[in-house]
Amino acid sequence: MLRLRRYRVFVICAFVVLFLLYHVSRNSQWDSVEPNVYDKVARPHYTKPKTEDDVDADTPRPGGPPQRPPLGHHEQAVEPVPPKKEQDIKIPQLKTTSEVKGGYGLPKVVPTTTSAATKAQNTDKAPVADTFPTIKLPDRVDESKDQEAPIHVWKPPKKVEDLNTAAAAIHWKKPKEWFPVPKESIIPLPTGSPKPMPSVQHKFKEETKAQKEKRETRLAKVRAEAMRAWSGYKQFAWTHDELTPVTKHGKDPFCGWAATLVDSLDTLWIMGLKDEFDEAVKAVKEIDFTTTPYRSDIPIFETIIRYLGGLVGAYDVTGGHDGKYRVLLDKALELAEILMSVFDTPNRMPILYYNWQPEFNENPKRASTSVSVAEIGSMGMEFTRLAQLTGEDKYYDAIARITDALEELQNRKDGTALPGIFPQQLDASGCNRTAAAEATLQKQATDVSADSEEPEGYASTRYGSTQSSRTKSTGAKDLEFEVKPGSRPSEPGSGSFHGVSKRELDSAVEERADDATEATSDMQERDSLSERSPISAKGLPANWECVPQGLASGSWGMDSYSMGGSQDSAYEYFPKQYALLGGLEPKYRTMHEKTVAAVKKYLLFRPMAKGDPDILFSAKASSSDNTDKNLHYEWEITHLTCFLGGMFGLGGKLFDSPEDVEIGKRLTDGCVWAYEVMPTGIMPEFSMALPCQKVDDCHWNQTAWYEHLDPESAWRKTQLEEYNVKRAKWKEEVQKLKDEEERRLKAESAAKADTAAQKTSQGAGEEAHHHHSRRDLSGDGDDEKLIEEKVEKLESELDLNSQGGYQTRNEDVQKPVGEIYYPIEPVKPLTHEEFVEERIKRERLVPGFASLNDRRYILRPEAIESVWYMYRITGDPIWQEKGWRMFESIIKATQTEVGHSAIDDVTTAEEAMPTDSMESFWLAETLKYFYLLFTTPDVISLDEWVFNTEAHPFRRPTAAT
Ligand SMILES: *[C@@H]1O[C@H](CO)[C@@H](O)[C@H](O)[C@H]1NC(C)=O
Ligand SMILES: *[C@@H]1O[C@H](CO)[C@@H](O)[C@H](O)[C@H]1NC(C)=O
């Protein structure tokens, strides 16, 4: 009873608390803390950045997507999951039926050719190399076993629905150039006639009639899906950046310059959709790149690859100077004019998030201390092509300096832990913070010693003190401002501090550099700092100078190295730039070759998978000591990294390295495998595999997989042993009790038999009656009893008793008189196998996967991109079959009434939900690659064209001309 009373008090208190919470939540803004991004979102507000020189710092950008780590190729693409409708909410079920069939189930498709080679490859193994059957890679050790797979947190961009009309009136103005490149220093396009290069494409033979028919049927299907997406965009999102393919609206994450429209131009042209193309070009004319109501910063990387690349690619495919679409080049130049301002920094490294509004834009700028390799390294092709088309070397100069900086970093001793590739985050500021810190320390030391010898006429004043003292300072520690002769003493609150010391400014600069996020968080302070900065002769703040350095690691702790997001396209551009420049700039070749060597040495691994497919993936390695001695590996499988097969294939062809082509095949087959083993037939965005130690001796081992999924098998075993002991004891006890009971009953019945004769006259059923009356008693209308019953009921609902264990519950249950209480049976712990199987079921893990961290498919192109490269390079129609299966799976899972939508979970065909996003790369890249897989191979031949990272084809110079 005591316990019950205590609980009653508790329950009543809980009630009061809940009631209060409910009211508080009703009256507060709780429900608006996380606004539904699909509702109208508050208009973007334009807050002033603190100062000019870190406008691209990766801090929250007003009006733009929320803070996120600088990401690579298309990573901004990440979409929020739209609210699911009430009736759509499903409780995830444990999957029992569609266990993935193991193995590398390749073609169920009838080969289209009868050639022996094709037949040989159409077995259920990954295609085996004819020339390079084995690949030599270093052994891999999986030391990640006992580490939790990292969960990648995606931060969705904000949706901006309504215009900020006030901001719309602001236009970009060409700012004064602070750090112009002297004319004589401009790096010109390499000249000379293009070098002959090995052909990239396979020499295709005439196709048969049957082959042609099949190919054309598929081509038409791809085109029909492109039309579906384009029509949806046209009807519901015309001139917006993207269509929301479920809710049928437009949205504008990329400044609202009609990203899908510009990005799709060359796709429309290639697909022969001329009317659509012409209509789109008309709309392109109206785009005003000098303003955007949606963002205060321009995301430079995305703008270059999607918009600039889209315009240049469309100009090229329509015939370039000989074509009829001069407006496309004009628009590209309009945009380029704006973008060129981002290179106006002391070291000419670009600003990557460009505060374009004149108020900030007119100030001098410095590149960020933390940029991603992909973002800084993927501008080359677009500006190179522009330079070629216009003859303007300034465009080439802009990106040649980045290449030079990357090359210097690649070759610098201790520049990178994995020689050949770069740390993911780079400091592009050009200011050596280490050196600056050292200098400050030194200066402090000399200040202390020099203190007593302060020259006459120099005044020191303490920051914040009103008096301008001519007395000696009390010590270096307290000396925060020095006032030089003739300058005004500082006044608190005046906001103007002319004549502050270099040290004060230095430390301000350091602070800024040390923590850009913190530094920009208080914009007010920043503004006043720039105001009070003395201006040098050139008009620069006096604190502008710093100890110069080249590109350097941008993180103080772990540097990570991979071919995935944030790094990918920087490497992709090396061989492509080489091709685009007609082989006239050899550094792109050497940089590519160094990259490839490092990828082979450090990153490639063969995963352990059912059926032992001969496939490769590229891992992420991290170094905490800037050496390759203690690398930490993540055996990741990411969709973004799927471009790598194509890169190895293209580079392998251009630089005549058959081994690289072979690796390219296996990398591509890795992604094909990751598609085919998933229940939807689509690869997830991000997952983890198990590496095989040896690339040429790699066998599926279920025990090893289970061990990885549950490293606690030894502990589980002891648990089970303990359980067995406990259970044996329990059984014994129960038996003892049963025996006792039996004895008691026997004794009772013996006694009964004895007295039976004497008691025949008395009626039976007394016990039952007694029981009934007890119940009646408890059910009488006594108020206190009623309350007690209610409290009891509540208690059981709140499960308060559960902590008390079974005994408590048993007490409450009315038992027939005389029943014995048996001890509670011990609960059997899961065995290792049971635990793992439960986990596999719950997480829908597919054999070979260690974890499925991000199960979305967001219409990404990288896998089909590499499949297409493999088809064009090898001529093997098996790649068309692989691509077609991908296409059918993707369409099945993503098609909506008016387009196609990203989905939230590729591990369940039944429960995958659309996330209402159709990024511009769906039409620009994914559908283009699918289409080109089924055109005749002369359409956009890789010997005439080279694609930027957004699949925009640029014309290659040919050796003949
Ligand atoms: C920065 O300066 C330090 C110390 O002066 C030097 O050791 C280091 O190499 C410099 N870093 C770069 C990237 O130049
Ligand atoms: C499979 O993996 C287990 C656990 O790692 C290991 O003990 C066993 O030797 C492996 N079996 C084979 C055939 O390699």
Side-chain angles (χ1 to χ4, degrees):
M1 219 27 169
L2 185 76
R3 295 192 36 198
L4 192 67
R5 273 186 204 288
R6 215 171 57 217
Y7 273 139
R8 199 187 301 170
V9 170
F10 182 82
V11 167
I12 288 162
C13 286
F15 244 108
V16 171
V17 169
L18 274 174
F19 180 77
L20 286 175
L21 280 175
Y22 174 66
H23 268 259
V24 169
S25 73
R26 271 175 63 109
N27 296 333
S28 75
Q29 299 299 310
W30 281 14
D31 45 351
S32 60
V33 165
E34 283 222 58
N36 181 340
V37 285
Y38 285 82
D39 292 344
K40 289 238 168 170
V41 161
R43 57 179 51 187
H45 53 285
Y46 294 89
T47 22
K48 258 172 108 176
K50 287 178 109 184
T51 56
E52 63 287 355
D53 57 359
D54 62 347
V55 280
D56 71 329
D58 50 328
T59 50
R61 288 168 199 97
Q67 185 178 6
R68 61 180 175 88
L71 295 168
H73 187 179
H74 309 318
E75 236 167 283
Q76 209 158 16
V78 176
E79 278 312 309
V81 178
K84 297 180 180 184
K85 273 180 266 145
E86 203 84 315
Q87 70 265 31
D88 284 332
I89 293 173
K90 289 176 190 164
I91 292 154
Q93 291 170 351
L94 292 184
K95 200 157 176 179
T96 48
T97 46
S98 59
E99 265 295 1
V100 179
K101 287 167 251 64
Y104 188 36
L106 272 181
K108 285 151 197 93
V109 187
V110 188
T112 48
T113 71
T114 48
S115 87
T118 312
K119 267 191 185 160
Q121 301 228 343
N122 258 345
T123 64
D124 55 1
K125 276 214 173 96
V128 175
D130 6 79
T131 45
F132 280 78
T134 55
I135 288 166
K136 285 194 189 65
L137 295 173
D139 295 349
R140 306 288 179 217
V141 181
D142 177 18
E143 38 81 37
S144 70
K145 254 182 201 161
D146 35 25
Q147 276 145 358
E148 277 291 302
I151 304 300
H152 280 226
V153 181
W154 302 94
K155 303 212 173 155
K158 261 187 205 144
K159 182 181 175 186
V160 185
E161 195 72 282
D162 52 342
L163 295 184
N164 183 331
T165 41
I170 303 171
H171 285 262
W172 176 86
K173 279 201 232 31
K174 191 175 170 67
K176 164 192 168 184
E177 240 193 306
W178 291 91
F179 311 100
V181 182
K183 259 212 168 68
E184 64 278 11
S185 308
I186 288 180
I187 303 171
L189 272 171
T191 51
S193 49
K195 292 217 166 98
M197 270 177 251
S199 77
V200 176
Q201 291 215 156
H202 176 77
K203 300 257 176 302
F204 285 85
K205 292 198 192 82
E206 257 327 279
E207 59 189 342
T208 66
K209 213 173 144 212
Q211 280 173 333
K212 184 171 183 211
E213 234 162 59
K214 185 175 176 187
R215 183 179 59 71
E216 285 182 342
T217 309
R218 290 174 173 182
L219 192 67
K221 283 187 180 162
V222 175
R223 205 171 99 135
E225 293 303 328
M227 270 309 286
R228 167 190 293 271
W230 179 254
S231 306
Y233 172 75
K234 200 161 91 177
Q235 191 180 349
F236 299 105
W238 188 243
T239 71
H240 285 279
D241 283 344
E242 290 171 13
L243 165 71
T244 56
V246 178
T247 52
K248 303 178 193 170
H249 288 292
K251 63 170 172 176
D252 295 281
F254 297 109
C255 301
W257 299 328
T260 294
L261 190 148
V262 177
D263 227 4
S264 304
L265 286 170
D266 50 18
T267 300
L268 296 173
W269 183 267
I270 290 166
M271 290 184 177
L273 302 166
K274 178 126 189 326
D275 292 345
E276 284 77 7
F277 180 86
D278 284 341
E279 194 181 6
V281 171
K282 269 200 202 109
V284 167
K285 270 184 216 162
E286 307 303 319
I287 298 172
D288 185 355
F289 291 118
T290 65
T291 190
T292 168
Y294 300 107
R295 301 181 61 132
S296 59
D297 64 342
I298 300 173
I300 295 302
F301 164 74
E302 301 284 359
T303 300
I304 288 176
I305 65 170
R306 298 188 200 223
Y307 288 111
L308 191 60
L311 292 167
V312 171
Y315 183 69
D316 259 359
V317 296
T318 52
H321 299 327
D322 301 330
K324 297 199 182 85
Y325 297 92
R326 171 77 206 187
V327 64
L328 295 172
L329 183 59
D330 291 343
K331 290 309 271 194
L333 291 170
E334 259 179 57
L335 178 57
E337 180 71 2
I338 295 164
L339 296 177
M340 283 301 283
S341 293
V342 305
F343 298 99
D344 187 23
T345 62
N347 60 352
R348 302 296 296 177
M349 291 300 113
I351 302 297
L352 293 172
Y353 293 87
Y354 177 33
N355 275 311
W356 57 271
Q357 296 176 37
E359 197 182 344
F360 321 111
N361 188 28
E362 64 203 12
N363 297 317
K365 308 165 184 67
R366 204 192 302 276
S368 167
T369 54
S370 181
V371 303
S372 76
V373 173
E375 287 186 281
I376 200 167
S378 315
M379 309 177 168
M381 296 181 67
E382 295 78 4
F383 281 105
T384 297
R385 189 65 192 131
L386 215 51
Q388 290 173 335
L389 287 169
T390 59
E392 292 268 14
D393 283 332
K394 66 176 181 187
Y395 297 123
Y396 184 72
D397 173 272
I399 60 89
R401 287 170 192 277
I402 300 173
T403 304
D404 290 352
L406 285 172
E407 189 187 33
E408 191 266 336
L409 175 63
Q410 199 178 38
N411 295 334
R412 190 198 308 154
K413 196 178 171 296
D414 301 332
T416 154
L418 307 190
I421 48 183
F422 315 109
Q424 176 170 309
Q425 292 303 121
L426 295 177
D427 178 349
S429 68
C431 288
N432 188 328
R433 287 181 278 173
T434 316
E438 280 170 10
T440 308
L441 280 175
Q442 226 158 42
K443 189 163 189 300
Q444 266 169 4
T446 47
D447 275 358
V448 173
S449 60
D451 213 18
S452 51
E453 295 145 33
E454 200 173 34
E456 257 308 300
Y458 274 69
S460 305
T461 181
R462 286 174 66 168
Y463 180 48
S465 122
T466 42
Q467 80 193 100
S468 170
S469 150
R470 290 190 67 87
T471 58
K472 283 176 190 171
S473 130
T474 48
K477 255 210 321 227
D478 294 323
L479 183 72
E480 303 212 36
F481 277 74
E482 292 169 26
V483 180
K484 292 193 174 116
S487 68
R488 273 196 296 153
S490 57
E491 303 243 334
S494 72
S496 168
F497 293 90
H498 294 274
V500 291
S501 77
K502 180 156 185 315
R503 176 150 65 89
E504 188 271 337
L505 287 160
D506 271 350
S507 68
V509 170
E510 271 161 46
E511 258 175 50
R512 250 179 293 174
D514 281 352
D515 193 344
T517 313
E518 194 188 304
T520 39
S521 69
D522 186 351
M523 297 177 171
Q524 217 57 43
E525 186 190 294
R526 265 326 195 65
D527 281 338
S528 61
L529 181 69
S530 72
E531 274 169 41
R532 66 186 140 136
S533 297
I535 301 300
S536 75
K538 282 163 88 180
L540 291 168
N543 63 318
W544 193 263
E545 294 304 313
C546 68
V547 183
Q549 68 169 11
L551 289 178
S553 162
S555 57
W556 290 108
M558 280 280 209
D559 279 322
S560 61
Y561 298 80
S562 81
M563 292 290 118
S566 300
Q567 323 205 16
D568 44 15
S569 41
Y571 305 110
E572 175 190 336
Y573 271 23
F574 296 152
K576 289 181 166 183
Q577 270 283 80
Y578 184 84
L580 185 60
L581 289 165
L584 294 169
E585 180 45 85
K587 68 177 63 159
Y588 288 108
R589 176 180 185 152
T590 51
M591 290 175 83
H592 169 77
E593 286 172 343
K594 282 178 185 168
T595 298
V596 159
V599 171
K600 287 187 219 175
K601 182 171 176 192
Y602 296 109
L603 301 183
L604 295 185
F605 70 96
R606 183 170 168 187
M608 192 181 78
K610 254 189 179 170
D612 302 344
D614 194 2
I615 56 178
L616 293 172
F617 288 103
S618 180
K620 175 187 266 181
S622 304
S623 166
S624 53
D625 56 4
N626 201 35
T627 75
D628 61 357
K629 300 292 179 287
N630 301 298
L631 295 178
H632 164 75
Y633 275 98
E634 283 166 52
W635 308 105
E636 60 181 28
I637 297 184
T638 89
H639 202 290
L640 277 165
T641 316
C642 285
F643 82 98
L644 197 59
M647 181 183 114
F648 266 78
L650 179 66
K653 280 308 218 183
L654 287 174
F655 308 125
D656 199 16
S657 170
E659 191 198 48
D660 288 358
V661 177
E662 206 48 56
I663 288 174
K665 280 187 203 168
R666 289 169 203 209
L667 283 165
T668 309
D669 267 329
C671 294
V672 172
W673 169 82
Y675 268 73
E676 301 203 338
V677 293
M678 286 295 149
T680 49
I682 308 172
M683 175 180 179
E685 176 79 0
F686 185 94
S687 56
M688 294 281 190
L690 266 74
C692 272
Q693 204 178 339
K694 290 187 188 316
V695 74
D696 49 1
D697 182 21
C698 180
H699 304 286
W700 172 246
N701 180 340
Q702 176 141 326
T703 314
W705 186 43
Y706 273 35
E707 274 294 314
H708 188 100
L709 293 181
D710 172 28
E712 305 291 347
S713 65
W715 176 77
R716 254 174 248 295
K717 219 169 160 185
T718 56
Q719 288 284 299
L720 198 65
E721 277 158 14
E722 271 169 34
Y723 160 79
N724 284 336
V725 173
K726 266 193 217 153
R727 196 182 136 88
K729 230 171 162 182
W730 171 81
K731 253 180 135 173
E732 214 173 84
E733 255 170 66
V734 168
Q735 197 54 50
K736 218 169 87 190
L737 284 168
K738 273 189 179 159
D739 292 349
E740 262 169 29
E741 175 73 352
E742 215 171 301
R743 269 200 300 280
R744 194 181 61 80
L745 283 174
K746 261 186 199 154
E748 229 169 59
S749 63
K752 260 187 192 156
D754 276 356
T755 54
Q758 299 162 20
K759 295 222 170 179
T760 36
S761 57
Q762 288 185 2
E766 205 189 321
E767 262 185 35
H769 180 73
H770 168 72
H771 186 66
H772 266 275
S773 56
R774 258 190 68 115
R775 272 198 167 200
D776 290 347
L777 204 81
S778 69
D780 77 10
D782 188 327
D783 267 0
E784 209 184 79
K785 278 250 164 68
L786 252 170
I787 290 167
E788 201 159 298
E789 256 178 28
K790 279 192 178 158
V791 170
E792 252 169 29
K793 192 158 167 272
L794 262 168
E795 277 179 349
S796 70
E797 274 169 18
L798 292 172
D799 226 0
L800 283 172
N801 269 337
S802 65
Q803 271 113 341
Y806 300 102
Q807 293 300 347
T808 321
R809 285 202 171 230
N810 287 350
E811 266 169 26
D812 296 344
V813 180
Q814 301 276 339
K815 289 270 166 72
V817 176
E819 181 164 323
I820 47 164
Y821 292 99
Y822 292 111
I824 307 297
E825 185 177 350
V827 181
K828 186 174 180 286
L830 292 181
T831 65
H832 168 65
E833 283 72 23
E834 285 166 346
F835 176 86
V836 171
E837 271 147 30
E838 168 71 26
R839 188 177 163 196
I840 290 170
K841 243 194 217 175
R842 194 179 56 236
E843 297 178 24
R844 293 194 283 262
L845 286 176
V846 172
F849 286 86
S851 59
L852 294 164
N853 313 51
D854 184 344
R855 297 154 184 263
R856 292 170 312 147
Y857 172 64
I858 64 165
L859 306 174
R860 282 200 193 280
E862 294 79 15
I864 186 59
E865 172 182 346
S866 284
V867 166
W868 177 71
Y869 274 94
M870 287 303 131
Y871 176 63
R872 289 290 183 92
I873 286 170
T874 67
D876 189 340
I878 197 174
W879 294 107
Q880 286 180 313
E881 301 307 323
K882 290 172 183 176
W884 185 246
R885 285 197 296 276
M886 286 166 62
F887 180 77
E888 290 196 306
S889 301
I890 290 171
I891 295 302
K892 187 163 173 232
T894 66
Q895 196 185 60
T896 71
E897 189 194 336
V898 299
H900 305 84
S901 170
I903 54 170
D904 65 351
D905 192 344
V906 298
T907 65
T908 163
E910 298 79 35
E911 290 162 33
M913 295 292 295
T915 60
D916 202 19
S917 165
M918 187 179 92
E919 283 220 52
S920 67
F921 52 65
W922 170 242
L923 271 161
E925 300 191 67
T926 316
L927 286 170
K928 185 188 282 154
Y929 287 124
F930 275 122
Y931 186 81
L932 290 174
L933 186 62
F934 299 107
T935 59
T936 52
D938 57 304
V939 179
I940 313 289
S941 162
L942 283 168
D943 292 314
E944 292 162 26
W945 300 88
V946 58
F947 287 73
N948 88 335
T949 192
E950 187 80 2
H952 297 304
F954 300 161
R955 195 172 268 290
R956 284 174 59 181
T958 43
T961 51

